[in-house]
Amino acid sequence: MYRNVLRATVSDAVPQPEHGVTTVFIELQNAKLELLSPLGDNSPIKSFLTKNPNGGIHHICLEVDDIKEAMKHLKTINVRCLSDEPKIGAHGKPVVFLHPKDLAGVLVELEQA
């Protein structure tokens, strides 16, 4: 569908053992999608799929120019980061996840542009 209908660029499946997932990256002209499947018994998305056996949107990712500055700003408006420091994400860039309880139940990932 992504390749034929939307004319997107679709990557091969990429195992990400350090993140416990296998990813497929889909690039459209104005958006990027990341399809995830669990990799191993300790995958962080395994419980999500147990609760949502048909799948669904796990999280959204937003690019920011300065991830550490964004984290400082979010702290001032009482939005919690799930880690104190950014970690290297699946695209090889620093990322941090934000607490879904602070964002209307949506798990948000910030990624350094």
Side-chain angles (χ1 to χ4, degrees):
M1 176 188 107
Y2 296 105
R3 202 178 270 122
N4 297 335
V5 175
L6 301 176
R7 298 186 177 189
T9 302
V10 180
S11 77
D12 291 332
V14 179
Q16 305 274 347
E18 64 278 10
H19 300 292
V21 296
T22 297
T23 56
V24 173
F25 301 112
I26 299 169
E27 293 190 36
L28 297 152
Q29 186 175 0
N30 62 348
K32 295 179 186 176
L33 303 176
E34 184 178 292
L35 304 181
L36 305 174
S37 61
L39 180 63
D41 291 335
N42 296 324
S43 175
I45 64 167
K46 195 170 186 177
S47 66
F48 173 81
L49 290 173
T50 299
K51 294 175 192 171
N52 304 280
N54 292 326
I57 295 176
H58 180 264
H59 68 278
I60 63 168
C61 180
L62 305 172
E63 282 187 345
V64 294
D65 290 329
D66 185 332
I67 197 164
K68 291 199 174 195
E69 191 60 39
M71 291 172 72
K72 286 180 194 173
H73 171 70
L74 290 166
K75 188 174 186 175
T76 67
I77 58 171
N78 297 317
V79 174
R80 294 170 285 174
C81 296
L82 295 181
S83 60
D84 293 329
E85 290 293 324
K87 298 176 180 169
I88 300 301
H91 293 278
K93 297 178 180 182
V95 300
V96 67
F97 284 88
L98 309 180
H99 203 297
K101 288 185 178 178
D102 299 338
L103 299 166
V106 177
L107 180 60
V108 175
E109 175 185 23
L110 299 182
E111 179 182 80
Q112 179 78 38

